[in-house]
Amino acid sequence: MRSVDHALQLAVLLQVEGPFGVGEAAERLGVAPSTAHRLLAMLVYRDFAIQTRDRRYAAGPVLSLGASSQSRTALLRSVAMPHLAALVERVRESANLVILAGDHVRFIGSVECAQALRVGNREGMVFPAHLASGGKVLLADLPPERLDALYSEEKWAGRLDRRPSLGSLRRELRTVRERGFAINAGKTESGVTAVGRPVRGEDGRVLAALSVSLPTVRFSRDRLPELTSALAMTVRDVEEEMRGGGAHLPGPR
């Protein structure tokens, strides 16, 4: 519990006070520099922190969702949740709303279906973006240089065994852009298949993704047109309500 508390303290300091080094972190927490280094390395691994060129640490993509993005995220969720519930009624499967957080996606809304065998509530969870259906949709909208930065060897130092092939990822994302949807067939969770579509702002940039998740035993290619069509209708309704309600949401940076 002490390690968890220390990590949370560092996360707050990064978000509120700005960049600092290992020595400063150790002094603030009253721990050895080696302990502070391990805690900061874990924050970097989970995208709560980044390491700068001068070897200091700064707030990472997850923490940057705070101040400037909280209102955007809260507004997006409040608009989307009733439409997610309607989507669940339509397809009788669970549905989710996800946003990009570094090289992960964060589930900010989730509605379970009523079937006995179902995918449970995912709200608050994070998964690697290149594996999740919603993550692929979000990555497919990024400028090439941003995608390269997210999956650079430097960014994935210490976990290169899990780094996707950038060439293969680019090809897959090109297919996602052409189709307008993405599929995750058991890549994040065994036995679960998901289909995702993008939610766009008025400027055409992708703000978030909606996905339908279901047990793989109930998925077949014959169901794909039904699921993608239902998702398209829901996305349209969410986008129209955001425009009609004056919800001018900037896209992810």
Side-chain angles (χ1 to χ4, degrees):
M1 291 299 292
R2 181 170 294 179
S3 293
V4 173
D5 183 54
H6 283 160
L8 291 173
Q9 286 183 55
L10 288 178
V12 171
L13 290 173
L14 286 169
Q15 191 173 44
V16 174
E17 298 185 14
F20 51 73
V22 171
E24 296 168 84
E27 184 177 351
R28 293 293 293 271
L29 296 178
V31 300
S34 59
T35 300
H37 183 267
R38 285 196 299 273
L39 291 168
L40 287 165
M42 181 54 67
L43 291 178
V44 170
Y45 176 67
R46 291 298 182 185
D47 281 315
F48 282 82
I50 58 172
Q51 191 168 26
T52 60
R53 292 183 182 276
D54 60 359
R55 303 188 67 79
R56 288 160 64 81
Y57 292 84
V62 174
L63 292 180
S64 69
L65 287 174
S68 63
S69 301
Q70 281 177 355
S71 59
R72 183 193 74 194
T73 302
L75 179 55
L76 177 60
R77 186 182 184 280
S78 68
V79 168
M81 287 304 287
H83 298 290
L84 274 186
L87 174 61
V88 170
E89 288 294 317
R90 190 175 297 137
V91 299
R92 300 184 64 242
E93 303 291 357
S94 301
N96 309 287
L97 172 68
V98 303
I99 57 174
L100 194 62
D103 55 27
H104 284 67
V105 285
R106 181 174 298 279
F107 286 66
I108 62 169
S110 189
V111 178
E112 287 186 43
C113 69
Q115 301 208 59
L117 178 62
R118 63 182 182 271
V119 177
N121 189 301
R122 294 293 185 263
E123 191 160 330
M125 296 178 70
V126 293
F127 290 107
H130 68 283
L131 299 179
S133 63
K136 295 175 188 180
V137 162
L138 289 157
L139 292 176
D141 188 61
L142 293 181
E145 62 275 12
R146 174 63 176 146
L147 186 71
D148 291 347
L150 278 180
Y151 292 97
S152 67
E153 288 190 12
E154 181 181 7
K155 178 73 165 57
W156 283 67
R159 49 182 180 139
L160 287 175
D161 57 325
R162 283 177 284 179
R163 175 177 172 257
S165 161
L166 199 49
S168 297
L169 182 59
R170 287 195 193 100
R171 289 191 292 273
E172 183 175 12
L173 297 181
R174 185 164 55 246
T175 300
V176 170
R177 285 191 293 272
E178 292 169 354
R179 291 177 173 175
F181 66 87
I183 300 175
N184 165 19
K187 292 299 180 74
T188 51
E189 297 173 274
S190 178
V192 174
T193 296
V195 182
R197 273 193 178 272
V199 177
R200 298 181 183 275
E202 288 189 279
D203 61 358
R205 298 302 304 274
V206 175
L207 302 170
L210 295 183
S211 65
V212 170
S213 303
L214 63 156
T216 300
V217 295
R218 279 205 302 273
F219 178 79
S220 70
R221 290 286 169 173
D222 291 339
R223 285 201 72 184
L224 194 54
E226 170 208 354
L227 297 175
T228 56
S229 176
L231 277 165
M233 291 173 61
T234 305
V235 165
R236 178 202 63 196
D237 292 343
V238 170
E239 291 175 346
E240 286 184 354
E241 184 172 337
M242 289 193 302
R243 286 194 295 269
H248 303 297
L249 304 180
R253 298 181 180 180

